[in-house]
Amino acid sequence: QDYADAEKYFGMSIKNNYKVASSYLGMADAQENLKKIPEMLKTLQDGIKATPGQNVKLEKAYSDHFAKEGQKFQKANDIAKAAENFTKSSQVSNKQLKARGLLSLGTLYFNNGASILQKATPFANSEKEKYEAEKAKALADFRKAQDYLKQAATVEPTNEAVKETQKQVADAIAPLVEKK
């Protein structure tokens, strides 16, 4: 429970090349508990670079941090910050973690598009121009969602959550696209 000492000793282990992946993970954990988030992220990044092929736990810790931050911003309705964090969450080599980050981005834009459309619906008949402008914003978000979900499906083709969300997005887009 003495995180300051733990950080110091894990740092010594890293310098001595002893159980490097575990040492980076332990050091990052100590830094997180000490509320040294920028240092923790740097430690995780350094650990990922230093231990290619044996860094799944390091990548998971890195990806999880940004996934949680993305969820926090999504709940606060800060779409830009949520997207930034989900993007960082997906920037790992592990296919499941990468797909999870991309799915989060797709879901974020899908939900935002649905929210825009829901708010616009009451004036669909009374204020056509305003409704059309909001519908275009929603459609743009649905298309972003589609793009991220397509990337997720490429990374992890058997992911059922990605397939289901792709279907929901396609169903949401269909009535918005005018037939010529």
Side-chain angles (χ1 to χ4, degrees), residues 10 21 23 60 90 102 120 137 154 166:
F10 281 121
S23 296
K60 183 171 180 355
S90 70
L102 293 166
K137 288 180 194 173
T154 301
Q166 281 181 306

Side-chain angles (χ1 to χ4, degrees), residues 98-163:
K98 182 184 274 300
R100 180 189 69 180
L102 293 166
L103 174 60
S104 295
L105 281 162
T107 303
L108 172 73
Y109 284 110
F110 172 62
N111 290 341
N112 196 56
S115 176
I116 291 169
L117 206 54
Q118 185 178 25
K119 290 174 187 167
T121 300
F123 46 83
N125 294 322
S126 59
E127 299 177 58
K128 288 268 190 212
E129 284 182 25
K130 188 175 180 182
Y131 175 73
E132 289 300 320
E134 293 301 300
K135 183 174 103 171
K137 288 180 194 173
L139 188 56
D141 274 1
F142 288 155
R143 294 218 189 279
K144 279 184 189 177
Q146 235 177 3
D147 290 342
Y148 285 118
L149 294 167
K150 184 177 179 183
Q151 290 176 49
T154 301
V155 171
E156 196 178 27
T158 59
N159 188 316
E160 289 301 319
V162 171
K163 291 177 187 177

Side-chain angles (χ1 to χ4, degrees), residues 66-82:
F66 286 111
K68 288 174 191 167
E69 287 295 301
Q71 290 167 353
K72 183 175 78 177
F73 284 113
Q74 185 175 9
K75 286 178 184 163
N77 207 27
D78 188 338
I79 304 305
K81 286 277 190 192

Side-chain angles (χ1 to χ4, degrees), residues 4-5 7 10 14 22 24 26-27 34-35 55 57 63 70 91-92 95 114 129 153 156 158 163 166-167 172 175:
D5 275 351
E7 179 184 22
F10 281 121
I14 292 166
S22 298
Y24 274 110
M27 187 172 180
L34 290 167
K35 308 285 188 251
N55 56 23
K57 289 180 181 178
S63 182
Q91 294 173 336
V92 291
K95 289 183 181 203
E129 284 182 25
E156 196 178 27
T158 59
K163 291 177 187 177
Q166 281 181 306
K167 182 183 178 329

